[in-house]
Structures are given as structure tokens and as C-alpha cells.
């Protein structure tokens, strides 16, 4: 399998505290790597390091043909910002050198209505906002999609929609996926590989490698909640 | 009006147009207060230049250059929070500026006035306005994504820090152009109040930018007309001095109050 990403001994220190310690893993073409871990485990820090948004030590090497799309967990957008997704998509097309017609493709791929396109972003529901972010990420024709808690701001039917959307997009765009989540059903349904993170990597492997012992080490006291979630 | 006066009015209106555009982005970037710091930092520069008999605009330009750099560093994340730094520098610059500015020039440095322009300054001013409007036009897509999320902008291949620096330089250039007729205390208002009017009255980005610029130009026109027709009026025993800078900003403030009314209807 061709590698799209190699991460070797990556560490991040913020204000003298080590928030990520010696993390190593790979990402192959077509893989869905899901990163799990408790709050404060450094999951978002790791994503931001991969995107070069954060100073880090160690090596992060993307394949020369890797094109990254990033879907953040949430954006601190001003509710009164008079900006719509249409403004943002047009801007992204211009910056990425894509034709404006590409907007029609991505809103069809993600399934968002023209009405959402013309509504100021601050007035959209959590689910609509999330889909807009997804479409924004697709405009540069990525082959790696990086998702931070893709289902955190949506309700249960919305979760289903996001799962099937990710699966469909993966085929259509030949994507490798890196996703951070708290949602264990996402792990068991979507992951081809799992990275358990608690400042350092506790395990890297298939979803079957997530044994109760691993979860105990990862989450400590709260493990029963996650196991329960798995069986539910 | 003499040719020099016409030059001065035209440049003031073009400056207002630029201020409307720059202000709309300042409001969306939530940096209205940073604008006040930048404009106030001009004052010590003006004062020092006056003492040494240098063109005050050059003194202000040097001070603004440092102000811009300071705000840029703050935006990148420093050891003190932006609001604290803004609060301290805003008042400190005013105090130091007032101390060093010769008293006979102080009122004009603070509140501006109407000055005739030479052809050279007029042409220089036009070039500066063209640079500001050109920057907003050329970088509009990068600016829009940056407003929404600096992180998404960075992952879309935009050099956010560089765009922010150029934006602040254009902001300072607008302040510099406005200093001439509005003074250090009032120039910030021409950047912020018209943008606030635009935000009250519009829902789309294009309309916001258009209304912000139009409100800014209209304020200058109204202020100029009032100042020309009634340099001072007497109400009972009180004589009101309708100086240009205060007249322009009062006109802008009135339009803003009217815009609040419209929103409620």
C-alpha cells in the first residue's frame, strides 16, 4: 500500500508542558485512521501538527501528491458575520484555482441545499454548518480528509448521515481519512486502523486491537462507558 | 472653491471610501479597538515632527509604522492579552502625544481641520487610496476565508500572517490619510462608525461593503457642507464651533443612530 503520511517521534510542548509525546504512525492510501483518547489527550494538537498549524518536533512527511482537506470541530465564527457559504466556496475556488462550477459539484456531493448556501454562516444549525465545512474541504479536491470530531455537533440521525457521507466521499474522491472522535460506534463502523492516544500513543492497530485492557489504560475509570457504547 | 480646496475635498471623499472598506473588515475581524490604538499612536509622531519642524505627516507615518508592527505582534499572540495592551497603549499614546505636541498645534493634531493640498500631496494621496482599494480587491478571497477561520485559511494555502500584516499596513495608511482632516482622536471613528452603519443595514457581504463606504463618503460630504455653510452657530448665549472633523464624525454618528431606528421598524 502506498503511504500518504509518515509520522515519526512527533512531540509538542505548550508553555513548558508536554502535550504530545513521541507519537509515531503511518497512513496508507485508502485507509481510515481513527484517533481516540480522553479529553486533553492531545488529539486536536496532533491534527494541528499534521496540518502544520502548530510547532512540533519530530518528522511529519506527507506524500508529494497529498492534498489535504481539513474539517475542524467547530469554528468560533461571529454570529453576525455577513458571510455565507457561497462567499466562502467562491473564495476557496479562487484561492485553490478551481472553476466556480466546482461549487455545484461539492454541494451535490455533500447534499446541501441552495438555501443553506445563501444563509449567513452564523444562522445555520450545527449539522448544516458541519456539512458546509465538509464541502469547503472538498473544493481543493483533497485525497486526504482530516476530520476533528465530525459527529460532535449533530444529532443521531445527523450522525448516520455523516457516516454514510464519509463512506461515499471516500470512494468518490479516493480518500485517506484521519478522524478524531469520542464516538466509539464511529470507530467500530468506520476505522480500518485506530490510534489510541493519551499524550503518547497507547496502541496503533486494527479496531479489533481495542481490547478492554487497552481502553482501561486509555480512559482509566471511564472505560465502562465506552465499552458499553461499543456493545450497544 | 479654489483648486487646492477642491483637491482637498476630493481626497477626503476618496479617503472616506477607503475607510469604509477597511472599516468593514476591521469590524468583521473584531479589531475596532486596535484601530483606535493605531490612530492614537500617530499623535506622538505628529508632535515630535512639529517640534523638529518636519512635515507632521512624516512623523505620524513613522509612529504608525511602529504601531502597526506592535498590533501585528499582538495579533500573533504575545504574553499580554490584546485588550490589556490596547487599553494601555491607547491612553499612553494620547498622554505622551499631548505632552510633546506644541500647544498651538494640539487642537488640530487631535481634531483635524481643513487644509489646502498641493498637487504633489494630492497625487500621493490618490496613489495611497488606490493601493488600499486595490489591496482589498486583490486579496478579498483570502481576507474572507481568514475572517471565517484563520486555520482554514492556513490549510487552504493562504499566508495568514502576511495578509494580516498587509491589511494592518493598509489600515495605517487609511489612518494617515484621514489624520489630515480628522486628527488623531477622530480618524478612528471614520473607520468604525460607517462600518457599524453598514452592519446594521445589510445582510450580505457585498451590500455591507457598499453601504459602509457610502455612509463614510456621505458623512464627509455632510460634515464638509455643514462646516462650509455654518462654521459656527450661536444658540442663545452659547456659541458652537462646527469644525470640520467633529462635524464629519457627528454626521456619521447621526446616520448610525438613524440606522438603529430602521432595524427596529
Amino acid at each position: 500500500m502506498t503511504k500518504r503520511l509518515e509520522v515519526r517521534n512527533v512531540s509538542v510542548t505548550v508553555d513548558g508542558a508536554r502535550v504530545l509525546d513521541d507519537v509515531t504512525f503511518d497512513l496508507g492510501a485508502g485507509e481510515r485512521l481513527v484517533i481516540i483518547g480522553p479529553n486533553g489527550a492531545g488529539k486536536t494538537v496532533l491534527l494541528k501538527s499534521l496540518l502544520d498549524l502548530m510547532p512540533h518536533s519530530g518528522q511529519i512527511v506527507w506524500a508529494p501528491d497529498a492534498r489535504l482537506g481539513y474539517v475542524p470541530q467547530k469554528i468560533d465564527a461571529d454570529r453576525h458575520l455577513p458571510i455565507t457559504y457561497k462567499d466562502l466556496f467562491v473564495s476557496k475556488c479562487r484561492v485553490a484555482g478551481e472553476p466556480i462550477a466546482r461549487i455545484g459539484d461539492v454541494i451535490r456531493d455533500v447534499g446541501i441545499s441552495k438555501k443553506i448556501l445563501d444563509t449567513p454562516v452564523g444562522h445555520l444549525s450545527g449539522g448544516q454548518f458541519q456539512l458546509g465545512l465538509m464541502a469547503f474541504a472538498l473544493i481543493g479536491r483533497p485525497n486526504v480528509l482530516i476530520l476533528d470530531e465530525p459527529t460532535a455537533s449533530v444529532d443521531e440521525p445527523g450522525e448516520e448521515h455523516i457516516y454514510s457521507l464519509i463512506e461515499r466521499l471516500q470512494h468518490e474522491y479516493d480518500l485517506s481519512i484521519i478522524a478524531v472522535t469520542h464516538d466509539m460506534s464511529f470507530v467500530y463502523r468506520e476505522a480500518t486502523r485506530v490510534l489510541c492516544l493519551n499524550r503518547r500513543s497507547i496502541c496503533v492497530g486494527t479496531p479489533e486491537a481495542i481490547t478492554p485492557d487497552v481502553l482501561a489504560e486509555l480512559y482509566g475509570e471511564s472505560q465502562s462507558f465506552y465499552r458499553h457504547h461499543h456493545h450497544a | 472653491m479654489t483648486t487646492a480646496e477642491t483637491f482637498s475635498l476630493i481626497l477626503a471623499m476618496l479617503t472616506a471610501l477607503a475607510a469604509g472598506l477597511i472599516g468593514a473588515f476591521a469590524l468583521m475581524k473584531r479589531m475596532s479597538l486596535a484601530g483606535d490604538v493605531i490612530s492614537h499612536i500617530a499623535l506622538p509622531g505628529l508632535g515630535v515632527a512639529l517640534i523638529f519642524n518636519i512635515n507632521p505627516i512624516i512623523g505620524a507615518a513613522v509612529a504608525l509604522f511602529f504601531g502597526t508592527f506592535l498590533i501585528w505582534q499582538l495579533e500573533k499572540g504575545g504574553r499580554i492579552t490584546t485588550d490589556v495592551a490596547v487599553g494601555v497603549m491607547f491612553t499612553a499614546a494620547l498622554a505622551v502625544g499631548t505632552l510633546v505636541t506644541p500647544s498651538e498645534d494640539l487642537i488640530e493634531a487631535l481634531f483635524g481641520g481643513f487644509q489646502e493640498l498641493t498637487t504633489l500631496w494630492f497625487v500621493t494621496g490618490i496613489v495611497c487610496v488606490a493601493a488600499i482599494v486595490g489591496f482589498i480587491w486583490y486579496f478579498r478571497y483570502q481576507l474572507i476565508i481568514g475572517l471565517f477561520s484563520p486555520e482554514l485559511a492556513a490549510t487552504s494555502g493562504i499566508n495568514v500572517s502576511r495578509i494580516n500584516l498587509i491589511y494592518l499596513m493598509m489600515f495605517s495608511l487609511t489612518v494617515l490619510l484621514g489624520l489630515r482632516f480628522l486628527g488623531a482622536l477622530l480618524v478612528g471613528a471614520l473607520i468604525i462608525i460607517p462600518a457599524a452603519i453598514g452592519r446594521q443595514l445589510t445582510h450580505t457581504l457585498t451590500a455591507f461593503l457598499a453601504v459602509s463606504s457610502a455612509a463614510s463618503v456621505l458623512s464627509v460630504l455632510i460634515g464638509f457642507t455643514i462646516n462650509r455653510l455654518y462654521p459656527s452657530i450661536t444658540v442663545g448665549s452659547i456659541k458652537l464651533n462646527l469644525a470640520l472633523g467633529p462635524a464629519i464624525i457627528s454626521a456619521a454618528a447621526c446616520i448610525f443612530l438613524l440606522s438603529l431606528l430602521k432595524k427596529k421598524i
Side-chain angles (χ1 to χ4, degrees):
Chain A
M1 196 191 301
T2 42
K3 274 186 194 166
R4 287 219 167 123
L5 169 68
E6 263 187 49
V7 175
R8 295 284 174 271
N9 313 107
V10 166
S11 299
V12 174
T13 304
V14 177
D15 291 335
R18 206 24 96 90
V19 290
L20 209 58
D21 193 14
D22 200 25
V23 173
T24 293
F25 65 93
D26 294 330
L27 177 76
E31 267 196 315
R32 291 192 292 262
L33 174 72
V34 175
I35 303 169
I36 59 170
N39 288 328
K43 302 187 295 291
T44 299
V45 168
L46 176 58
L47 288 194
K48 289 188 175 176
S49 303
L50 297 180
L51 291 159
D52 206 17
L53 296 171
M54 204 150 195
H56 54 265
S57 63
Q59 274 191 313
I60 294 174
V61 183
W62 289 99
D65 65 342
R67 293 181 305 279
L68 311 187
Y70 173 45
V71 183
Q73 181 181 357
K74 62 173 190 172
I75 280 177
D76 188 22
D78 186 346
R79 265 194 71 78
H80 301 289
L81 211 57
I83 287 183
T84 62
Y85 268 125
K86 190 175 186 179
D87 296 322
L88 289 165
F89 294 169
V90 168
S91 300
K92 177 82 184 275
C93 284
R94 295 295 187 201
V95 170
E98 293 232 43
I100 297 297
R102 179 89 182 101
I103 296 173
D105 299 344
V106 295
I107 64 170
R108 200 186 50 241
D109 289 346
V110 174
I112 52 182
S113 65
K114 287 243 190 302
K115 190 163 172 277
I116 293 178
L117 213 56
D118 289 324
T119 306
V121 285
H123 296 185
L124 296 172
S125 72
Q128 293 169 330
F129 191 80
Q130 191 68 24
L131 291 179
L133 288 178
M134 205 88 98
F136 183 90
L138 291 178
I139 286 177
R141 291 182 189 277
N143 54 17
V144 180
L145 199 59
I146 298 179
L147 304 139
D148 195 353
E149 299 278 5
T151 54
S153 58
V154 293
D155 53 16
E156 227 167 284
E159 275 179 22
E160 263 320 303
H161 180 64
I162 300 260
Y163 293 155
S164 56
L165 178 63
I166 291 173
E167 282 169 21
R168 187 160 50 76
L169 291 176
Q170 189 186 17
H171 293 299
E172 285 174 17
Y173 285 79
D174 184 26
L175 290 169
S176 303
I177 287 174
I178 301 177
V180 155
T181 189
H182 275 103
D183 176 0
M184 287 307 278
S185 50
F186 186 83
V187 176
Y188 293 113
R189 282 188 50 165
E190 303 300 327
T192 54
R193 280 169 75 229
V194 182
L195 168 66
C196 310
L197 192 71
N198 196 354
R199 279 197 307 120
R200 58 194 180 81
S201 66
I202 307 283
C203 70
V204 188
T206 59
E208 291 74 41
I210 314 295
T211 61
D213 288 344
V214 170
L215 284 176
E217 191 182 351
L218 189 61
Y219 289 101
E221 292 292 303
S222 61
Q223 53 142 329
S224 56
F225 165 75
Y226 285 92
R227 283 173 62 196
H228 174 75
H229 208 89
H230 165 37
H231 295 301
Chain B
M1 267 200 312
T2 65
T3 314
E5 282 175 335
T6 313
F7 277 174
S8 199
L9 177 62
I10 291 173
L11 187 56
M13 285 168 60
L14 288 173
T15 300
L17 176 84
L21 290 175
I22 285 286
F25 280 96
L27 209 71
M28 291 189 283
K29 283 161 87 69
R30 292 184 238 180
M31 52 168 289
S32 316
L33 281 175
D36 268 333
V37 170
I38 291 182
S39 58
H40 285 64
I41 281 176
L43 191 62
L46 273 175
V48 170
L50 285 166
I51 290 173
F52 291 103
N53 226 0
I54 306 168
N55 187 327
I57 288 295
I58 293 170
V62 173
L64 281 173
F65 176 79
F66 285 109
T68 306
F69 190 72
L70 215 64
I71 299 284
W72 183 57
Q73 285 297 325
L74 277 175
E75 273 197 332
K76 284 171 64 168
R79 280 160 55 193
I80 42 175
T81 59
T82 306
D83 61 336
V84 170
V86 165
V88 172
M89 289 191 296
F90 176 22
T91 42
L94 184 60
V96 173
T98 307
L99 281 178
V100 298
T101 306
S103 55
E104 63 272 21
D105 297 313
L106 187 60
I107 290 294
E108 195 172 311
L110 288 176
F111 299 105
F114 190 78
Q115 292 156 349
E116 296 181 353
L117 273 184
T118 63
T119 310
L120 177 67
W121 278 111
F122 177 67
V123 172
T124 311
I126 298 278
V127 170
C128 291
V129 171
I132 296 161
V133 177
F135 161 77
I136 298 277
W137 179 255
Y138 189 77
F139 286 104
R140 63 194 185 285
Y141 300 120
Q142 283 93 333
L143 285 167
I144 289 168
I145 299 176
L147 280 175
F148 179 60
S149 161
E151 280 183 355
L152 280 186
T155 55
S156 304
I158 296 167
N159 186 337
V160 179
S161 175
R162 187 180 68 128
I163 296 271
N164 279 343
L165 180 62
I166 306 176
Y167 171 79
L168 283 172
M169 280 159 62
M170 293 301 133
F171 192 112
S172 297
L173 201 54
T174 312
V175 167
L176 197 61
L177 288 168
L179 268 181
R180 191 177 55 86
F181 60 103
L182 289 172
L185 275 191
L186 295 179
V187 63
L190 190 70
I191 293 175
I192 297 311
I193 299 178
I197 296 167
R199 180 127 119 187
Q200 278 295 322
L201 298 180
T202 64
H203 298 290
T204 67
L205 185 63
T206 315
F208 177 33
L209 295 176
V211 170
S212 175
S213 302
S216 185
V217 174
L218 186 66
S219 305
V220 168
L221 262 181
I222 295 174
F224 180 80
T225 310
I226 291 174
N227 174 256
R228 274 291 143 130
L229 297 180
Y230 311 102
S232 65
I233 53 170
T234 308
V235 184
S237 58
I238 304 165
K239 187 172 177 242
L240 291 176
N241 186 14
L242 301 182
L244 180 65
I248 290 172
I249 301 308
S250 303
C254 286
I255 301 173
F256 176 69
L257 288 176
L258 286 174
S259 76
L260 288 178
L261 218 61
K262 174 158 185 302
K263 187 92 174 178
K264 283 179 183 148
I265 290 170

